[in-house]
Amino acid sequence: MGSHAAAAANCRCSRVVYVGNIAFHAADKEVRDACELIGPVRSFHLAADAATGKRKGYAFVEYADDATAQSACRNLHGHLLRGRELRVGLAERAGASGRRRGDHDPVGMDDAIHAASLVDFSGQRHAAAVASVTRYLAGLSRHQLREAAAAFETNKLLKDTAMEMVQRLLDMSDDDAAAEEAKRKRRESASAATADDHRAKMRKLEDGGKATAVPAGVSCV
């Protein structure tokens, strides 16, 4: 019961507004600037197709509080931007509104934002990562989310296995390098021994070719 109460207290859905009828050639900054005419914007998500990046013509905007979001609904609705009147209203979760999605339909940005609002993120340094994850998850279906959850559960095992394999490969590489170094030293040693043997043979040949001195008193026949 306590977790439900905490979730309700942290839920930001009433602070999030849907902004529709956005011109496809309108820049992100233009749309955000228009929204900030009402008040500071905490998060801004301009919807786009995950595969093509093509704009969908609507955005979800989170304000600091309910009152600012309601003000946006009153004062931003009908605002002219790039020749089109914006349609603005409080964002509503698909499940809460009774709209039913199939198991393979994307969960949508509104539900993704709602889910993000129930997660405790400490520090502003996570803001960019949270926005990226929110956009990514919005394009997944319930089926894909279940697959992702299963993958996350085995993530530690996968990480441990991968790390062990990496360490094994590094060890193998070190062993190969050591073996190559030992071969190099043996080749150098063998080469030095061959050179010494060659020099010794040359000395013998040189010594054998020298004239032998004849002792005194011995006549040559």
Side-chain angles (χ1 to χ4, degrees):
M1 191 71 176
S3 60
H4 289 294
N10 292 328
C11 181
R12 304 181 301 184
C13 289
S14 57
R15 307 178 199 169
V16 179
V17 299
Y18 166 90
V19 181
N21 201 35
I22 299 172
F24 294 111
H25 58 284
D28 289 29
K29 188 177 186 306
E30 287 182 283
V31 182
R32 184 173 186 130
D33 286 349
C35 295
E36 288 183 336
L37 292 173
I38 307 301
V41 170
R42 292 185 60 177
S43 67
F44 175 82
H45 304 280
L46 189 57
D49 184 271
T52 65
K54 184 177 179 180
R55 300 278 182 81
K56 292 186 176 182
Y58 64 89
F60 288 94
V61 183
E62 181 196 354
Y63 288 102
D65 50 53
D66 299 358
T68 308
Q70 291 166 4
S71 175
C73 294
R74 293 191 304 270
N75 301 305
L76 194 59
H77 184 75
H79 178 81
L80 200 63
L81 180 66
R82 291 276 184 157
R84 304 182 72 168
E85 292 185 354
L86 298 179
R87 292 198 296 267
V88 183
L90 287 178
E92 189 177 45
R93 288 192 58 236
S97 64
R99 297 195 304 274
R100 184 177 180 82
R101 291 194 176 101
D103 203 42
H104 294 277
D105 295 327
V107 296
M109 183 59 77
D110 47 354
D111 277 12
I113 291 174
H114 178 82
S117 72
L118 302 179
V119 179
D120 181 22
F121 297 106
S122 57
Q124 293 299 315
R125 63 191 180 90
H126 298 295
V130 172
S132 297
V133 171
T134 300
R135 285 193 295 271
Y136 173 71
L137 294 180
L140 299 185
S141 66
R142 287 188 297 176
H143 175 73
Q144 291 170 317
L145 288 173
R146 282 194 289 268
E147 289 183 336
F152 293 152
E153 286 180 359
T154 59
N155 184 57
K156 186 178 186 305
L157 175 61
L158 292 174
K159 179 182 176 182
D160 291 345
T161 301
M163 286 300 296
E164 183 174 354
M165 290 177 66
V166 166
Q167 191 57 55
R168 296 285 186 186
L169 287 169
L170 289 174
D171 290 344
M172 290 163 61
S173 178
D174 290 343
D175 290 344
D176 289 344
E180 188 61 32
E181 179 65 15
K183 287 181 182 178
R184 186 186 65 79
K185 289 182 178 179
R186 285 197 297 270
R187 285 195 297 268
E188 289 180 351
S189 178
S191 178
T194 300
D196 290 343
D197 186 54
H198 178 72
R199 283 193 293 270
K201 287 180 179 179
M202 289 299 294
R203 282 197 297 271
K204 286 182 180 179
L205 288 173
E206 290 173 358
D207 292 343
K210 290 180 180 179
T212 305
V214 180
V218 177
S219 58
C220 294
V221 180

